[in-house]
Coordinates of all heavy atoms in Angstrom, one line a residue:
D155 N -15.7 -35.6 151.0 CA -14.9 -35.1 152.2 C -15.1 -33.6 152.4 O -14.9 -33.1 153.5 CB -13.5 -35.5 152.0 CG -13.2 -37.0 152.1 OD1 -14.1 -37.7 152.7 OD2 -12.1 -37.4 151.7
L156 N -15.4 -32.9 151.3 CA -15.5 -31.4 151.4 C -17.0 -31.0 151.2 O -17.2 -29.8 150.8 CB -14.6 -30.7 150.4 CG -13.1 -30.9 150.7 CD1 -12.3 -30.3 149.6 CD2 -12.7 -30.2 152.0
A157 N -17.9 -31.8 151.5 CA -19.3 -31.5 151.3 C -19.8 -30.3 152.1 O -20.7 -29.6 151.6 CB -20.2 -32.7 151.6
Y158 N -19.2 -30.0 153.1 CA -19.5 -28.9 154.0 C -18.9 -27.5 153.5 O -19.3 -26.5 153.9 CB -19.0 -29.1 155.4 CG -17.5 -29.2 155.5 CD1 -16.7 -28.0 155.7 CD2 -16.9 -30.4 155.3 CE1 -15.4 -28.1 155.7 CE2 -15.5 -30.5 155.3 CZ -14.7 -29.4 155.5 OH -13.4 -29.4 155.6
A159 N -18.0 -27.6 152.5 CA -17.2 -26.4 152.2 C -17.7 -25.7 150.9 O -18.1 -26.4 149.9 CB -15.8 -26.8 151.9
L160 N -17.7 -24.4 151.0 CA -18.0 -23.6 149.8 C -16.8 -23.5 148.9 O -15.7 -23.5 149.3 CB -18.4 -22.1 150.2 CG -19.7 -22.0 151.0 CD1 -19.8 -20.5 151.5 CD2 -20.9 -22.3 150.1
Q161 N -17.1 -23.5 147.6 CA -16.0 -23.4 146.6 C -15.8 -21.9 146.5 O -16.7 -21.1 146.5 CB -16.4 -24.0 145.3 CG -16.7 -25.4 145.3 CD -17.1 -26.0 144.0 OE1 -16.9 -25.4 142.9 NE2 -17.6 -27.2 144.0
S162 N -14.5 -21.5 146.4 CA -14.2 -20.1 146.3 C -13.2 -19.9 145.2 O -12.3 -20.7 144.9 CB -13.7 -19.5 147.6 OG -12.5 -20.1 147.9
G163 N -13.4 -18.7 144.5 CA -12.4 -18.3 143.5 C -11.3 -17.5 144.2 O -11.0 -17.7 145.3
Q164 N -10.8 -16.6 143.4 CA -9.7 -15.8 144.0 C -10.2 -14.3 144.1 O -11.2 -14.0 143.4 CB -8.5 -15.8 143.1 CG -7.9 -17.2 143.0 CD -6.6 -17.2 142.1 OE1 -6.3 -16.2 141.5 NE2 -6.0 -18.3 142.0
G165 N -9.6 -13.6 145.0 CA -9.9 -12.2 145.1 C -10.9 -11.8 146.2 O -11.0 -12.5 147.2
G166 N -11.6 -10.7 146.0 CA -12.4 -10.0 147.0 C -13.6 -10.8 147.5 O -14.0 -10.6 148.6
T167 N -14.1 -11.8 146.7 CA -15.2 -12.5 147.2 C -14.9 -13.5 148.3 O -15.8 -13.9 149.0 CB -15.9 -13.2 146.0 OG1 -15.0 -14.2 145.4 CG2 -16.4 -12.3 144.9
R168 N -13.7 -13.9 148.4 CA -13.3 -14.9 149.4 C -13.6 -14.5 150.8 O -13.9 -15.3 151.6 CB -11.8 -15.2 149.2 CG -11.4 -15.9 148.0 CD -9.9 -16.0 147.8 NE -9.5 -17.3 147.9 CZ -8.2 -17.7 147.8 NH1 -7.3 -16.7 147.8 NH2 -7.9 -18.9 147.8
A169 N -13.5 -13.2 151.1 CA -13.7 -12.7 152.5 C -15.2 -12.9 152.8 O -15.5 -13.4 153.9 CB -13.4 -11.2 152.6
I170 N -16.1 -12.7 151.9 CA -17.5 -12.9 152.2 C -17.8 -14.4 152.3 O -18.5 -14.8 153.2 CB -18.4 -12.2 151.1 CG1 -18.2 -10.7 151.2 CG2 -19.8 -12.7 151.2 CD1 -18.9 -10.0 150.0
L171 N -17.2 -15.2 151.4 CA -17.4 -16.6 151.4 C -16.9 -17.2 152.7 O -17.5 -18.1 153.3 CB -16.8 -17.3 150.2 CG -17.4 -17.0 148.9 CD1 -16.5 -17.5 147.8 CD2 -18.8 -17.5 148.8
A172 N -15.8 -16.7 153.2 CA -15.2 -17.2 154.5 C -16.1 -16.9 155.7 O -16.3 -17.8 156.6 CB -13.8 -16.6 154.7
A173 N -16.7 -15.7 155.7 CA -17.6 -15.4 156.8 C -18.8 -16.3 156.8 O -19.3 -16.7 157.8 CB -18.0 -13.9 156.7
V174 N -19.4 -16.5 155.6 CA -20.6 -17.4 155.5 C -20.2 -18.8 155.8 O -20.9 -19.5 156.5 CB -21.2 -17.2 154.1 CG1 -22.3 -18.3 153.9 CG2 -21.7 -15.8 153.9
Q175 N -19.0 -19.2 155.4 CA -18.5 -20.6 155.7 C -18.4 -20.8 157.2 O -18.8 -21.9 157.6 CB -17.1 -20.8 155.1 CG -16.6 -22.2 155.3 CD -17.3 -23.2 154.5 OE1 -17.2 -23.3 153.3 NE2 -18.0 -24.1 155.2
A176 N -18.0 -19.9 158.0 CA -18.0 -20.0 159.4 C -19.3 -20.3 160.0 O -19.5 -21.2 160.9 CB -17.4 -18.8 160.1
H177 N -20.4 -19.6 159.5 CA -21.7 -19.9 160.0 C -22.2 -21.3 159.5 O -23.0 -21.9 160.2 CB -22.7 -18.8 159.5 CG -22.5 -17.5 160.3 ND1 -23.1 -17.3 161.5 CD2 -21.8 -16.4 160.0 CE1 -22.8 -16.1 161.9 NE2 -22.0 -15.5 161.0
I178 N -21.8 -21.7 158.3 CA -22.2 -23.0 157.8 C -21.7 -24.1 158.7 O -22.4 -25.0 159.1 CB -21.8 -23.2 156.3 CG1 -22.6 -22.3 155.4 CG2 -21.9 -24.6 155.9 CD1 -22.1 -22.2 154.0
I179 N -20.4 -24.0 159.0 CA -19.8 -25.0 159.9 C -20.4 -25.0 161.2 O -20.7 -26.1 161.8 CB -18.3 -24.8 159.9 CG1 -17.6 -25.2 158.6 CG2 -17.6 -25.7 161.0 CD1 -16.2 -24.8 158.4
T180 N -20.7 -23.9 161.8 CA -21.4 -23.8 163.1 C -22.7 -24.5 163.0 O -23.0 -25.3 163.9 CB -21.5 -22.3 163.5 OG1 -20.2 -21.7 163.6 CG2 -22.3 -22.2 164.9
Y181 N -23.5 -24.2 162.0 CA -24.8 -24.9 161.9 C -24.6 -26.4 161.7 O -25.3 -27.2 162.4 CB -25.5 -24.3 160.6 CG -26.8 -25.1 160.3 CD1 -27.9 -24.9 161.0 CD2 -26.7 -26.1 159.3 CE1 -29.1 -25.6 160.7 CE2 -27.9 -26.8 158.9 CZ -29.0 -26.6 159.6 OH -30.2 -27.3 159.4
L182 N -23.7 -26.9 160.9 CA -23.6 -28.3 160.6 C -23.1 -29.0 161.8 O -23.5 -30.2 162.1 CB -22.7 -28.5 159.4 CG -23.2 -28.1 158.1 CD1 -22.2 -28.3 157.0 CD2 -24.5 -28.9 157.7
L183 N -22.2 -28.4 162.6 CA -21.6 -29.1 163.8 C -22.5 -29.0 165.0 O -22.6 -30.0 165.8 CB -20.3 -28.5 164.1 CG -19.1 -28.9 163.2 CD1 -17.8 -28.2 163.7 CD2 -18.9 -30.4 163.2
F184 N -23.2 -27.9 165.3 CA -23.8 -27.7 166.6 C -25.3 -27.4 166.5 O -25.9 -27.5 167.6 CB -23.1 -26.5 167.3 CG -21.6 -26.6 167.4 CD1 -20.8 -25.8 166.7 CD2 -21.1 -27.6 168.1 CE1 -19.4 -25.9 166.8 CE2 -19.7 -27.8 168.2 CZ -18.9 -26.9 167.5
T185 N -25.9 -27.1 165.4 CA -27.3 -26.8 165.4 C -28.2 -27.9 164.9 O -29.2 -28.3 165.5 CB -27.5 -25.5 164.5 OG1 -26.7 -24.5 165.0 CG2 -29.0 -25.1 164.6
R186 N -27.8 -28.5 163.8 CA -28.7 -29.5 163.2 C -28.7 -30.8 164.0 O -27.7 -31.1 164.7 CB -28.4 -29.8 161.7 CG -27.1 -30.6 161.5 CD -26.8 -30.7 160.0 NE -25.5 -31.3 159.9 CZ -25.3 -32.5 159.3 NH1 -26.3 -33.1 158.8 NH2 -24.1 -33.0 159.3
D187 N -29.7 -31.5 164.0 CA -29.9 -32.7 164.8 C -29.5 -34.0 164.0 O -30.1 -34.3 163.0 CB -31.3 -32.9 165.2 CG -31.5 -33.9 166.3 OD1 -30.6 -34.2 167.0 OD2 -32.7 -34.4 166.4
T188 N -28.4 -34.6 164.5 CA -27.9 -35.9 163.8 C -27.2 -36.7 164.8 O -26.7 -36.2 165.8 CB -27.0 -35.5 162.6 OG1 -26.6 -36.7 162.0 CG2 -25.9 -34.7 163.0
E189 N -27.1 -38.0 164.6 CA -26.4 -38.9 165.5 C -24.9 -39.0 165.1 O -24.1 -39.6 165.9 CB -27.0 -40.3 165.4 CG -28.4 -40.4 165.7 CD -29.2 -40.6 164.4 OE1 -28.7 -41.2 163.5 OE2 -30.3 -40.1 164.4
C190 N -24.5 -38.4 164.0 CA -23.1 -38.6 163.6 C -22.1 -37.8 164.5 O -22.5 -36.9 165.2 CB -22.9 -38.0 162.2 SG -23.9 -38.8 160.9
T191 N -20.9 -38.3 164.5 CA -19.8 -37.6 165.3 C -19.5 -36.3 164.6 O -20.0 -36.1 163.4 CB -18.5 -38.4 165.4 OG1 -18.0 -38.6 164.1 CG2 -18.8 -39.8 166.0
H192 N -18.8 -35.4 165.2 CA -18.5 -34.1 164.6 C -17.9 -34.2 163.2 O -18.4 -33.5 162.3 CB -17.6 -33.3 165.6 CG -18.3 -32.8 166.8 ND1 -19.5 -32.1 166.7 CD2 -18.0 -32.9 168.1 CE1 -19.9 -31.8 167.9 NE2 -19.0 -32.3 168.8
L193 N -16.9 -35.0 163.0 CA -16.3 -35.1 161.7 C -17.2 -35.7 160.7 O -17.3 -35.2 159.6 CB -15.0 -35.9 161.8 CG -14.2 -35.9 160.5 CD1 -13.9 -34.5 160.0 CD2 -12.9 -36.7 160.7

């Protein structure tokens, strides 16, 4: 269920992981070619 999500610890690295996570979700939802629904 969370295959799309990066694992994150605590602290300062979370901000960088969150920024990259936004690009990952954009790629998985709108860029790659697949017949699956959004979810």
Side-chain angles (χ1 to χ4, degrees):
D155 289 345
L156 293 174
Y158 62 91
L160 292 172
Q161 297 180 15
S162 66
Q164 297 180 359
T167 61
R168 290 170 118 182
I170 293 173
L171 293 171
V174 172
Q175 181 69 70
H177 284 278
I178 288 170
I179 290 174
T180 300
Y181 170 80
L182 292 174
L183 284 177
F184 305 115
T185 305
R186 73 183 173 120
D187 191 25
T188 180
E189 305 102 33
C190 299
T191 65
H192 286 308
L193 185 55

